[in-house]
Amino acid sequence: MKILLTGGTGYIGSHTAIELMLSGYEVVLVDNLRNSKASVIDRIQEVSGKRPSFYELDVADYTALNTVFKQERPDAVIHFAGLKAVGESVADPLLYYQLNLNTSINLCRVMNDNNVTGLVFSSSATVYGEPERIPLDEDCDATRAANPYGRTKIMVEQILRDLCNAKPAFNVALLRYFNPAGAHPSARLGEDPTGVPNNLVPFLTQVAVGMRNELVVNGDDYPTEDGTCIRDYIHVQDLARGHVAAIRKLEKNCGLVTYNLGTGKGHSVKEVVAAFERATNQHLPKTIGPRREGDVPTTYTDPSLAERELEWKAELTIEDICRDAWQWQDANPTGYP
Ligand code: UD1
């Protein structure tokens, strides 16, 4: 079986490529390298012992993508490619709608024209917006995202539902990730954000390595035990295994399926900082700042549907996340070469 990964040199794509190859799949990566570097491919080879094929192209370019499909004849696709910065999506919504929707629609056209009917889509827990109930299960209202980035995820999910209704040969898994974090335990792959990190864990590792002066905790007056927001942090290695499980699910002709991928456990910002300080054995400079617009106090998943139907479960803890994220940043202070 050959799996094509769009956004294959990105953070989650690269970790998933390794897990797929270690599970016996052939892997083809496509990426325009807008938010990732080609040296990732050397690292994938180093860790897995195999070099995936790689094509530098825009998923929105029908001719280029179609040529790769004709040449490689993939059996299924995992669609990671897309923009994902919430703040940027508020400032430039047209960019987000154009890019995230065009790439997805074009990919589906190319798949359809080449009779490739298995697709795993990188969705996000962001589709739930302000949670209807906690823990979040897949039946919760998934149309409440509070920003353009999140609304592109809602729209692509809807496009894929409509496609499955029109063309029953398609098998599609919508994976709604909670908060991906951590790095490969080899410290050869990890998260390499461009500019100031938006997310908590990469910000922490950059403070610890001396790239940033201090962590600003975004508000400690939320209705939670210690006043800081609670999230469900999932190790990128668990997430990568979740994609392998989803590919296996497609092989059983599942139609359209939707799974939350998270641990089912919530950790507050203060708990994550404490776990990180234990893992790195250092005290981090931090201050309490104002709330960040759009943050909800608490969100975590009910992971039982994925456990039952994918036979997959997150195994790594917040300690593992902090240790691996730190080892990656410490060994690669400026990210990939
Ligand atoms: C964010 C995105 C979400 C995306 C997810 C994973 C928002 C509103 N949501 O989720 O759409 O799917 O990342 O990429 O941006 N924090 C600090 N100081 C910092 C950074 C973060 O206190 O310097 C806090 C945040 O306020 C939040 C928690 O840490 O309470 C987690 O933040 P983050 O890692 O950005 O994840 P989310 O906001 O949950």
Side-chain angles (χ1 to χ4, degrees), residues 42-312:
D42 300 329
R43 302 288 180 94
I44 294 173
Q45 178 176 14
E46 209 183 290
V47 170
S48 70
K50 290 178 211 151
R51 193 171 185 86
S53 324
F54 171 66
Y55 298 87
E56 185 178 343
L57 60 82
D58 252 308
V59 179
D61 179 342
Y62 183 95
T63 311
L65 189 63
N66 192 48
T67 306
V68 173
F69 269 67
K70 298 269 180 260
Q71 194 167 325
E72 294 282 352
R73 305 195 152 278
D75 297 288
V77 176
I78 308 182
H79 181 33
F80 293 107
L83 298 178
K84 59 154 196 142
V86 173
E88 187 186 42
S89 82
V90 174
D92 196 350
L94 294 183
L95 173 71
Y96 271 66
Y97 287 115
Q98 182 163 36
L99 202 142
N100 288 359
L101 296 179
N102 276 351
T103 51
S104 303
I105 294 168
N106 196 57
L107 172 65
C108 291
R109 284 182 57 219
V110 172
M111 287 177 66
N112 187 54
D113 294 349
N114 288 276
N115 298 313
V116 178
T117 53
L119 177 66
V120 177
F121 174 59
S122 282
S123 188
S124 168
T126 205
V127 296
Y128 296 117
E130 177 96 44
E132 193 185 337
R133 57 178 176 268
I134 299 285
L136 279 154
D137 59 71
E138 291 80 353
D139 290 331
C140 289
D141 183 0
T143 61
R144 293 155 72 112
N147 53 70
Y149 155 71
R151 284 189 277 272
T152 69
K153 294 293 182 192
I154 296 172
M155 288 175 189
V156 174
E157 285 196 357
Q158 190 56 54
I159 290 167
L160 294 173
R161 263 181 230 112
D162 289 337
L163 176 66
C164 287
N165 284 336
K167 298 185 183 285
F170 268 86
N171 295 301
V172 174
L174 309 176
L175 302 184
R176 296 177 181 152
Y177 313 150
F178 278 69
N179 289 62
H184 196 274
S186 64
R188 300 300 284 161
L189 293 102
E191 195 167 2
D192 184 16
T194 336
V196 183
N198 298 303
N199 299 119
L200 178 60
V201 174
F203 202 98
L204 279 172
T205 62
Q206 291 197 0
V207 173
V209 86
M211 281 169 77
R212 315 260 160 224
N213 292 334
E214 60 173 13
L215 174 79
V216 179
V217 175
N218 300 326
D220 69 349
D221 57 349
Y222 284 95
T224 62
E225 205 157 302
D226 65 20
T228 63
C229 292
I230 293 176
R231 296 288 181 275
D232 185 339
Y233 297 90
I234 175 167
H235 197 295
V236 67
Q237 286 290 99
D238 278 331
L239 201 52
R241 285 193 306 103
H243 289 78
V244 178
I247 286 288
R248 295 206 170 109
K249 183 78 183 171
L250 300 184
E251 289 164 18
K252 293 178 191 146
N253 266 321
C254 57
L256 186 120
V257 290
T258 306
Y259 300 109
N260 287 350
L261 297 189
T263 63
K265 292 187 193 71
H267 293 286
S268 72
V269 175
K270 282 187 178 164
E271 283 171 3
V272 176
V273 174
F276 190 81
E277 291 184 327
R278 282 195 300 277
T280 58
N281 212 7
Q282 57 171 300
H283 182 75
L284 291 189
K286 51 192 167 297
T287 52
I288 307 293
R291 291 182 176 197
R292 184 173 74 179
E293 208 187 307
D295 275 348
V296 299
T298 301
T299 163
Y300 54 90
T301 187
D302 170 352
S304 56
L305 187 69
E307 265 180 60
R308 264 196 323 274
E309 295 193 5
L310 291 180
E311 296 173 44
W312 166 90

